[in-house]
């Protein structure tokens, strides 16, 4: 009888400890948000943020987002201050190693072009700008260094596409390099050759390669793919939507011209 009471007491005591212990919080996925014109904003209303938030509606996961300047966002991710980051998949594969990061189904496609003022003929190749000056956004050298390599082109790095458009209009340089769909709000002021992109790639949610993130991206990608197939991507992106094949290849396609 004493032994039975002893074991009963231990069971009750163990149960009391379990009930009194603080609940373990669900894991939180921390996402670094770089500043990308029209696509990612500090107000959380960029196209890619709308798509991601819609995809998360059917997932039981807690996500936090922190906005940073373009290059700072990547530094925070590299130093493990964030679990994931919008975009930069190929850049981070080169920096950290292909096995160090994993990426989601694409949020969208982007292409870099040379832009001139609307009333001027488009320029299709950097070779046409040898010895001249072009404009680009600070941080985009992470993608453009390979494109610019081997060309005698002076680049003025500014804070935004809007600033570059203004400088282009004031003839501070002969052309600017920017990405579609980012610059679509300024298209009425610009001319470009849509058949000659400098570089084409895909924006994805990029994460450190671990078991938790692999499970998260697997579930997230299924939701994102469903949204694209249902036309929700196009609905949310509006004029910023760029069609891409499904599934999109992970590697960037660079045209060095």
């Amino acid at each position: 009888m004493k032994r039975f009471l002893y074991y009963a007491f231990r069971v009750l005591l163990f149960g009391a400890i379990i009930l009194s212990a603080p609940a373990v919080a669900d894991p939180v996925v921390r996402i670094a948000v770089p500043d990308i014109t029209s696509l990612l904003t500090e107000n959380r209303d960029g196209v890619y943020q709308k798509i991601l938030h819609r995809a998360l509606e059917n997932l039981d996961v807690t996500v936090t987002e922190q906005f940073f300047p373009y290059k700072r966002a990547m530094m925070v991710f590299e130093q493990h201050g964030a679990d994931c980051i919008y975009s930069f998949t190929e850049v981070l594969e080169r920096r950290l190693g292909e096995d160090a990061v994993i990426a989601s189904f694409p949020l969208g496609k982007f292409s870099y072009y040379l832009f001139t003022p609307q009333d001027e003929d488009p320029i299709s190749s950097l070779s046409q700008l040898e010895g001249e000056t072009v404009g680009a956004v600070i941080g985009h050298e992470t993608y453009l260094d390979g494109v610019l390599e081997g060309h005698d082109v002076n680049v003025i790095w500014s804070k935004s596409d809007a600033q570059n458009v203004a400088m282009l209009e004031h003839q501070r340089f002969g052309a600017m390099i920017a990405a579609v769909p980012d610059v679509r709000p300024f298209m009425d002021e610009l001319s470009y050759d849509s058949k000659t992109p400098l570089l084409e790639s895909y924006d994805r949610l990029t994460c450190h390669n671990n078991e938790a993130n692999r499970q998260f991206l697997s579930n997230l990608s299924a939701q994102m793919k469903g949204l694209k197939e249902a036309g929700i991507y196009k609905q949310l992106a509006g004029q910023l939507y760029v069609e891409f094949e499904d599934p999109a290849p992970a590697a960037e396609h660079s045209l060095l011209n």
Side-chain angles (χ1 to χ4, degrees), residues 33-35 40-46 49 65-68:
V33 184
D35 184 5
L40 296 168
T41 72
E42 191 169 8
N43 294 330
R44 294 168 55 90
D45 60 357
Q49 288 154 304
E65 294 185 325
Q66 190 167 0
F67 184 84
F68 298 99

Side-chain angles (χ1 to χ4, degrees), residues 122-142:
I123 295 175
S124 59
S125 171
L126 280 169
S127 300
Q128 298 173 249
L129 295 169
E130 298 293 333
E132 298 188 28
T133 299
V134 300
V137 174
I138 295 172
H140 287 207
E141 64 270 21
T142 54

Side-chain angles (χ1 to χ4, degrees), residues 3-4 12 24 31 35 38 72 86 98-99 106 113 115 121 139 148 164 176 201 204 213-214 243 254 256:
R3 179 173 295 179
F4 172 79
L12 290 173
V24 178
I31 302 177
D35 184 5
S38 306
R72 174 80 183 281
Y86 286 94
E98 291 188 3
D99 294 333
Y113 294 92
F115 292 90
D121 293 334
L148 295 165
N164 278 336
M176 60 178 273
S201 189
R204 308 166 186 264
N213 288 341
R214 286 193 292 273
E243 185 58 71
S254 181
L256 307 182

